[in-house]
Amino acid sequence: MPKQKFDYDLIVIGAGAGGSVAATIANNAGKRVAMIEAGRMGGECPNWGCIPTKAMIYAANIYADAKHASEFGLRTAMIGYNYPSIKAWKDKVVRRTGAAQGKQYYESLGIDVIKGEAHFLSPYEVTVNRRHYTAANFIIASGSKTTIPPIDGLADVPYITNREALELNRPPKSTFIVGGGAIGCEFAQLFATFGSKVHIAEIAPRILPNEDEETSKLLTEIFTKQNGMSIHTNAKVLSVEKEGVAKRVTYRIGDDTRSVRVDELMIATGKEAIVDFGLENAGISYSRQGITVNEHLQTNVSHIYAAGDVIGHFMFTHMSIYQGRLAAHNVLHPRKMLSADYRAVPHVIFLQPEVAAVGMLEDECLKRAMEYKKATAPISIISRANVNDINNGFVKVITNQHGILIGATVVAPHAGEIIHELTLAVQLGVSASEVASTIHAFPTWSEAVRVACAKIK
């Protein structure tokens, strides 16, 4: 197809974190750009994901802290909450992102925003609302959706996902959450903080199965002893059914079949890439796990790239932004392509205490039969823990046999901030001894990083 006949130099499918960054970069470079979005502008993060969830969790954490403030001599006998007001706070935070005004904003920059579902007709053409659009290049950033497991009766029983959970007008009296990963655990602690009796069913041997085993053990103890949750691991949910206004969930652990009656059922079994929009018509290789790309985020069709959740791994907003930038650069500079570097990808689970990790976990080292060193520092040994009366948590560092940091886990207040020192160390190949010899302010949580690194010999 002759280049001069293309409607656009670049069409970006998806106006979430990755797509909007890519479109802006290409537009700033003087390219003719269109961005296609089927849902809300901004995608998952500002509308149903990171932003509203963390706003609710922040309110829950303040409430939890206030309930225990009497330990510090503060009078909190009248502490309570108004859930509709908490929800209103969440809505205010979402409005402040400006995501709802995204269409006007991008159009003011000169980017054409096309609302509707894109469908590939050929490698150079898509259709949206029966109109056809062509482009010399495409970046697919269509995102992901909640994976709905094949549970008997689920089609006939009302349930919620993370999206509907944010819109509840009050916390349920009892909740059964299918899935003990990051999303399931965040909502479990949120509901439990506001008085809900929470059950978590995880098919793996432990909750947070993608985290360090020590992390899973500690959070299981906190969830059960402090939050009053019931944790069911190695648990397969067999069926669900209505029981009046409630739901009955039947699950199996080994040879033991059990059931529980709850007010609310939440599905939190992970996310899957959105790939059902004619990719085969463009000749793009993909699977249920996502679109296949090379190190340049290029699909097997050379002028089509993909970024973010649709690739099927590292489903984090910050990764979508990183990949969106990289894909846009490679579209603009095909002779000077950059390769994705995933050595130091941090992530955070917003629990109390927070969980953060970067690089390799000990389980990965064992699976690869790698030689490695490890050291752990419990946060209880540092002065900040004494000052704040918080003892649950640790910093764990992993190095290669030469003492170079290759991974770390932090379970502590503000772990999401602490992890970035270790992220930089992993990225730059810094040794544990170099981190340990770096002056850390006293008294801070980050002192536990210094202590853990000092243990590596």
Side-chain angles (χ1 to χ4, degrees):
M1 186 177 294
K3 186 174 181 180
Q4 63 269 23
K5 291 188 179 180
F6 292 145
D7 299 318
Y8 298 99
D9 298 311
L10 172 67
I11 288 179
V12 178
I13 299 176
S20 58
V21 166
T24 302
I25 290 173
N27 180 72
N28 290 343
K31 301 300 181 181
R32 294 169 298 156
V33 180
M35 187 161 53
I36 302 171
E37 175 54 56
R40 292 185 189 177
M41 295 296 294
E44 182 79 10
C45 179
N47 292 300
W48 308 284
C50 324
I51 301 302
T53 302
K54 279 49 180 180
M56 297 283 284
I57 288 172
Y58 182 65
N61 289 347
I62 291 176
Y63 177 61
D65 289 343
K67 286 197 299 181
H68 297 96
S70 59
E71 299 173 15
F72 309 107
L74 303 176
R75 297 175 182 174
T76 58
M78 300 299 291
I79 188 69
Y81 68 86
N82 181 287
Y83 205 76
S85 296
I86 294 172
K87 182 173 176 288
W89 154 248
K90 178 266 298 182
D91 293 338
K92 179 181 179 179
V93 170
V94 170
R95 287 195 302 272
R96 290 198 308 208
T97 67
Q101 289 75 46
K103 186 175 187 293
Q104 299 94 302
Y105 170 74
Y106 291 111
E107 287 179 339
S108 73
L109 298 179
I111 299 170
D112 287 349
V113 178
I114 303 167
K115 294 291 293 178
E117 294 185 4
H119 191 88
F120 274 100
L121 298 176
S122 75
Y124 291 95
E125 186 176 18
V126 293
T127 179
V128 184
N129 300 326
R130 299 184 179 180
R131 291 194 60 181
H132 295 193
Y133 303 91
T134 61
N137 297 279
F138 289 85
I139 295 177
I140 301 171
S142 50
S144 61
K145 59 185 177 181
T146 299
T147 299
I148 306 301
I151 298 173
D152 187 33
L154 189 60
D156 301 316
V157 175
Y159 64 87
I160 60 173
T161 67
N162 64 296
R163 293 192 177 193
E164 294 80 20
L166 292 166
E167 301 305 320
L168 296 176
N169 290 320
R170 62 181 180 273
K173 291 183 179 179
S174 57
T175 313
F176 193 100
I177 299 178
V178 184
I183 294 174
C185 285
E186 285 185 352
F187 275 97
Q189 196 171 55
L190 172 70
F191 288 148
T193 299
F194 290 121
S196 182
K197 171 58 183 176
V198 176
H199 297 262
I200 300 177
E202 170 55 51
I203 198 168
R206 53 189 174 90
I207 61 169
L208 300 176
N210 296 324
E211 303 302 320
D212 188 275
E213 187 173 357
E214 293 172 53
T215 301
S216 298
K217 288 180 178 178
L218 177 57
L219 266 299
T220 298
E221 182 178 347
I222 291 171
F223 280 5
T224 54
K225 292 183 178 180
Q226 295 185 14
N227 300 127
M229 299 185 204
S230 296
I231 308 296
H232 315 288
T233 54
N234 289 308
K236 179 177 176 59
V237 178
L238 302 176
S239 64
V240 296
E241 59 183 317
K242 293 180 183 178
E243 197 168 278
V245 295
K247 294 101 176 174
R248 180 161 293 279
V249 183
T250 302
Y251 59 98
R252 184 175 65 229
I253 300 176
D255 296 327
D256 185 16
T257 299
R258 311 173 187 177
S259 72
V260 62
R261 186 176 187 269
V262 293
D263 294 297
E264 192 59 82
L265 172 66
M266 181 174 180
I267 303 299
T269 46
K271 299 189 291 183
E272 60 185 70
I274 297 175
V275 292
D276 51 347
F277 48 95
L279 295 177
E280 59 279 358
N281 297 333
I284 300 169
S285 295
Y286 71 99
S287 66
R288 288 184 60 190
Q289 285 69 47
I291 294 175
T292 304
V293 296
N294 61 18
E295 69 274 18
H296 307 303
L297 303 180
Q298 191 175 33
T299 71
N300 61 303
V301 182
S302 61
H303 67 281
I304 302 177
Y305 296 73
D309 287 8
V310 73
I311 294 176
H313 58 274
F314 294 122
M315 290 187 174
F316 314 127
T317 298
H318 48 283
M319 182 52 61
S320 296
I321 293 170
Y322 169 74
Q323 291 174 338
R325 289 173 175 165
L326 196 66
H329 175 277
N330 292 342
V331 166
L332 296 171
H333 307 285
R335 295 184 180 179
K336 296 182 179 179
M337 286 194 183
L338 300 176
S339 298
D341 182 356
Y342 300 133
R343 287 175 299 165
V345 180
H347 67 271
V348 185
I349 305 174
F350 292 84
L351 301 171
Q352 197 172 34
E354 283 184 355
V355 175
V358 65
M360 297 188 68
L361 301 177
E362 186 175 4
D363 284 351
E364 295 177 83
C365 295
L366 292 171
K367 288 176 183 177
R368 298 186 188 187
M370 290 177 55
E371 292 185 19
Y372 70 95
K373 299 177 182 180
K374 67 175 181 177
T376 303
I379 64 167
S380 58
I381 67 175
I382 64 171
S383 293
R384 184 61 183 268
N386 178 33
V387 170
N388 288 44
D389 195 34
I390 295 175
N391 296 306
N392 287 321
F394 61 87
V395 173
K396 181 177 182 179
V397 293
I398 307 288
T399 74
N400 62 18
Q401 64 269 38
H402 304 296
I404 303 300
L405 282 158
I406 59 173
T409 294
V410 180
V411 181
H414 307 291
E417 275 63 54
I418 298 169
I419 198 65
H420 289 92
E421 173 184 6
L422 292 161
T423 299
L424 186 62
V426 173
Q427 179 72 31
L428 299 181
V430 174
S431 69
S433 62
E434 288 174 306
V435 174
S437 64
T438 300
I439 299 171
H440 287 67
F442 177 91
T444 64
W445 296 112
S446 291
E447 278 195 284
V449 173
R450 176 184 60 78
V451 174
C453 287
K455 290 184 176 183
I456 298 288
K457 303 300 182 184

